[in-house]
Amino acid sequence: MDSEGKIVLTVGKADLLGEDCISKRFEVCLEYALCDFNTSFQFVKRVNVTCIPSAFSFASKVCGDPFSSRNLTLPIARVSSYTGNNLRPYIWREFLSNDSSLPPYYKLLQLIQSLGSEAESGSPSIDYCYFQELHRTQVNEILSRQFWPGIDVSEHLSIPDLSIIALYKRLVVGCGFILPNGYISFIMVRPGWQRAGIARFMLFHLIQSVQSYGKDITLHVSANNPAMLLYQHFGFKAEQFIVNFYDKYLPANSQDCKNAFFLRLRR
């Protein structure tokens, strides 16, 4: 309330929404009168009209940000806590244009959508980005289901440059992590999303991310894992066969193969 008894209200990022769902800023002076519990407001002035980004608008808080509703990555570049490099929102966006490259699970989603009233517009894409806190829950879940219970990759949040996440909209369909010493700790594709080139691109990116370190790339792989063919295609060679390597990770009643090959890609 000012010296003349008027209430001055500043309307910030919220309140008045245009057709484009971008809120505007107004400075409004309102004259307030109260008589017999009847309140009246008189519009006095409107100045300093500016626009703010939709992501920070009142509309996005109520209806949801259009970008975040379809993507599980930050819309702006961020600085890596490990190298200080700028990490773009996406490493690569791959559009799946022909039926032969579409993952089986995506074909099922298409079939379900075709039975409804709304069909997906545009070409489907697999989006690759760096590991973020947004992905942690889904990544831990799919890794624990694929390998052994209790996997937590939170430590990789401190070295996001050495990671890759594959997304279909807001669903994590693949992930890969490599350590500074060149050891690939995890790489996997969610069941139903194989045979679309996801694992191939993730492995290529992990190898390139430590190229400047001059380290050999190493990993352990289960003896009956069909991914051996992919690793051999990239030039990995088996150096050691380890009996019961996964015995300390897998539950005692697990039927999964506990033997592993130790592979190396020499630089």
Side-chain angles (χ1 to χ4, degrees), residues 20-264:
D20 55 357
C21 293
I22 297 179
S23 65
K24 305 181 184 303
R25 178 181 176 84
F26 295 94
E27 290 185 1
V28 182
C29 180
L30 300 176
E31 182 176 355
Y32 174 84
L34 179 62
C35 298
D36 298 329
F37 300 103
N38 293 320
T39 304
S40 62
F41 292 88
Q42 180 180 354
F43 189 83
V44 178
K45 65 177 181 179
R46 164 178 156 175
V47 295
N48 295 337
V49 178
T50 60
C51 293
I52 64 171
S54 176
F56 302 102
S57 68
F58 179 68
S60 69
K61 292 179 174 61
V62 174
C63 304
D65 177 49
F67 181 88
S68 299
S69 66
R70 297 179 61 87
N71 301 274
L72 196 65
T73 184
L74 296 176
I76 57 176
R78 59 195 177 101
V79 178
S80 168
S81 58
Y82 180 62
T83 61
N85 296 332
N86 284 329
L87 305 180
R88 297 169 297 171
Y90 293 107
I91 298 171
W92 182 253
R93 170 168 277 187
E94 183 176 2
F95 291 94
L96 309 177
S97 56
N98 58 76
D99 290 340
S100 62
S101 64
L102 294 177
Y105 196 84
Y106 176 78
K107 293 180 180 180
L108 176 61
L109 291 178
Q110 278 188 316
L111 177 61
I112 295 174
Q113 289 177 343
S114 67
L115 301 176
S117 58
E118 295 185 3
E120 182 179 16
S121 60
S123 301
S125 67
I126 301 297
D127 305 324
Y128 300 92
C129 62
Y130 297 100
F131 185 42
Q132 304 166 35
E133 177 64 31
L134 297 170
H135 312 135
R136 183 171 59 87
T137 301
Q138 286 195 54
V139 168
N140 287 342
E141 179 184 358
I142 62 175
L143 288 177
S144 296
R145 288 183 177 182
Q146 183 71 13
F147 296 112
W148 54 84
I151 293 178
D152 187 356
V153 293
S154 298
E155 61 181 9
H156 287 278
L157 289 169
S158 62
I159 48 175
D161 313 62
L162 308 182
S163 66
I164 185 169
I165 302 296
L167 300 169
Y168 171 69
K169 296 184 178 179
R170 294 181 59 85
L171 177 68
V172 174
V173 297
C175 60
F177 304 95
I178 190 169
L179 299 175
N181 62 5
Y183 182 78
I184 297 177
S185 53
F186 296 104
I187 182 169
M188 72 150 295
V189 176
R190 183 186 288 269
W193 293 87
Q194 298 96 336
R195 300 183 181 180
I198 297 175
R200 182 182 301 272
F201 182 83
M202 292 195 302
L203 182 58
F204 172 79
H205 172 77
L206 293 179
I207 293 173
Q208 294 299 311
S209 64
V210 295
Q211 185 175 21
S212 61
Y213 297 176
K215 302 286 187 179
D216 290 351
I217 312 299
T218 58
L219 59 89
H220 288 92
V221 59
S222 177
N224 63 351
N225 192 330
M228 278 287 294
L229 297 176
L230 175 63
Y231 299 135
Q232 290 175 351
H233 177 79
F234 274 84
F236 283 86
K237 303 295 183 183
E239 288 193 348
Q240 188 178 5
F241 180 76
I242 307 174
V243 178
N244 292 331
F245 174 79
Y246 293 109
D247 191 45
K248 57 184 176 182
Y249 302 108
L250 296 172
N253 59 349
S254 175
Q255 299 300 313
D256 294 332
C257 178
K258 299 180 180 180
N259 304 325
F261 286 103
F262 178 73
L263 307 182
R264 182 184 300 271

